[in-house]
Amino acid sequence: DEMDVDTIWMNGDFVDWEDAQVHVLSHALHYGSGVFEGVRAYDTDNGPAIFRWEEHLDRLYESCKPYDLDIPFDREELTEATVELLDRQDLASGYIRPIAYYGYDSLGVSPGDCPTDVTIAAWPWGAYLGEDALENGVEVMVSSWRKHASSQIPTNAKTTGLYVNSMLAGEEARRNGFVEAIVLNKEGNVAEGPGENLFLVRDGELYTPGLSESILDGITRDTVISLAEERGYTVHDNSSISRGELNTADELFFTGSAAEVTPIRQVDNVEIGNGGRGPITEELQSAFFDLVEAGDREEWFHYV
Ligand code: PMP
């Protein structure tokens, strides 16, 4: 099949791709009551390794809390399942998608006795927004859709239902000829991309929206903050960024497990900085790719 997936781990068992089915009356299908992760494994110089697995597991279990989802597997079981899944599919690198959701029991909005079903899939995956995007940057539009306010839905939980907002913003952008969107929060400040965090460079310093701006607490965001600080940059990681500051930025870039570090070269047809990948973006992007190639920062790699 097109995803190159033969085996999926489902509720404790490895099942063939075609047998990985859910009931059509599953709670999560109707109400978006699932939480998930997007993780990458890299074929590092120290061997295949899952990047920042522990932090992704932390966020997966934390995302469950507001919804009272109870994953009936502990961290070791999910880790073992993932490592074996990569091994069974001969994947030295790729994308890993764990998901936990309310399955089938009854179809009231209250999940009642619905089980928490858990599956993990993994497949090969290249650059999320394309190889060209990594080098030359992407053209984005500011979406007419706003992010959910964190007072309306927990935006720090990676919940399936939240992603209809991401889909609306991303598809609006693509219908208008852009590669991706930037989404403002309810206050009208910059929040993030549909599946990426955002960084702005101005006068040699970095700015990224704070956690109270209705963003997901991105793990790549955290990685890039560390890499930047280690290189002597000042990072303002609790910023409020107005829409107009996007246009006057020296550089802009996205971060994400899927998007890695992707430069943004235009916003709403206005060129950002030099109109390509900016120098600080390039430095941090190289630092990121060097890191995942070397795989030598042991606390950030789970070797498989
Ligand atoms: N924001 C949103 C809405 C996302 O879906 C993602 C991808 N998980 C991110 C930010 C980036 O987070 P991470 O670096 O942990 O992948």
Side-chain angles (χ1 to χ4, degrees):
D1 66 277
E2 71 281 2
M3 267 174 74
D4 277 328
V5 181
D6 336 302
T7 307
I8 292 180
W9 183 88
M10 249 186 129
N11 295 322
D13 297 312
F14 291 93
V15 300
D16 290 341
W17 188 90
E18 59 270 24
D19 297 326
Q21 308 280 354
V22 297
H23 198 277
V24 72
L25 296 182
S26 294
H27 192 274
L29 177 65
H30 295 254
Y31 307 120
S33 56
V35 300
F36 67 107
E37 276 302 317
V39 189
R40 274 190 194 261
Y42 289 97
D43 191 10
T44 79
D45 295 342
N46 284 329
I50 309 173
F51 185 54
R52 305 205 66 176
W53 176 244
E54 296 302 327
E55 291 81 357
H56 282 282
L57 273 183
D58 287 343
R59 192 170 65 188
L60 181 68
Y61 285 102
E62 283 173 8
S63 292
C64 288
K65 287 185 181 169
Y67 301 103
D68 207 21
L69 279 157
D70 185 16
I71 295 182
F73 299 95
D74 63 24
R75 298 173 72 97
E76 287 67 36
E77 289 168 313
L78 295 186
T79 303
E80 217 172 279
T82 304
V83 168
E84 188 173 340
L85 187 64
L86 294 173
D87 184 53
R88 283 181 181 231
Q89 301 193 95
D90 282 326
L91 280 172
S93 68
Y95 188 75
I96 302 161
R97 168 54 59 84
I99 180 168
Y101 58 93
Y102 280 117
Y104 171 66
D105 181 66
S106 54
L107 209 50
V109 171
S110 168
D113 292 327
C114 290
T116 300
D117 287 328
V118 188
T119 78
I120 307 172
W123 60 88
W125 221 19
Y128 180 55
L129 299 171
E131 282 296 332
D132 177 71
L134 293 176
E135 198 176 320
N136 299 312
V138 289
E139 298 171 354
V140 307
M141 74 174 275
V142 175
S143 180
S144 66
W145 294 102
R146 298 289 176 90
K147 283 279 297 188
H148 310 277
S150 54
S151 58
Q152 295 170 319
I153 190 162
T155 50
N156 59 337
K158 195 168 165 65
T159 311
T160 60
L162 281 174
Y163 283 80
V164 292
N165 176 265
S166 292
M167 186 185 89
L168 287 166
E171 293 308 293
E172 177 190 36
R174 285 180 276 277
R175 272 200 303 277
N176 283 283
F178 298 90
V179 174
E180 189 58 302
I182 290 175
V183 191
L184 307 180
N185 61 23
K186 195 157 167 280
E187 291 69 41
N189 295 321
V190 175
E192 58 183 353
E196 306 89 357
N197 292 111
L198 181 133
F199 283 78
L200 180 153
V201 179
R202 182 146 195 182
D203 295 334
E205 300 191 353
L206 287 110
Y207 298 81
T208 194
L211 298 182
S212 57
E213 300 289 311
S214 298
I215 65 163
L216 187 72
D217 186 0
I219 293 160
T220 321
R221 175 183 182 275
D222 181 73
T223 302
V224 166
I225 291 170
S226 293
L227 294 175
E229 287 177 344
E230 286 162 14
R231 279 158 185 77
Y233 290 107
T234 298
V235 183
H236 306 272
D237 64 1
N238 196 19
S239 297
S240 233
I241 298 175
S242 69
R243 179 172 180 169
E245 287 174 279
L246 293 172
N247 298 132
T248 56
D250 296 331
E251 305 179 28
L252 293 175
F253 61 90
F254 281 135
T255 63
S257 299
E260 297 169 307
V261 178
T262 299
I264 297 170
R265 66 184 162 99
Q266 277 188 17
V267 178
D268 293 332
N269 297 312
V270 176
E271 277 199 358
I272 304 307
N274 62 11
R277 174 173 57 185
I280 294 176
T281 304
E282 185 170 359
E283 181 185 349
L284 296 175
Q285 189 190 48
S286 297
F288 178 84
F289 283 120
D290 288 350
L291 168 73
V292 295
E293 196 181 312
D296 56 358
R297 194 181 297 217
E298 291 197 359
E299 70 274 21
W300 281 355
F301 291 91
H302 186 98
Y303 305 101
V304 303

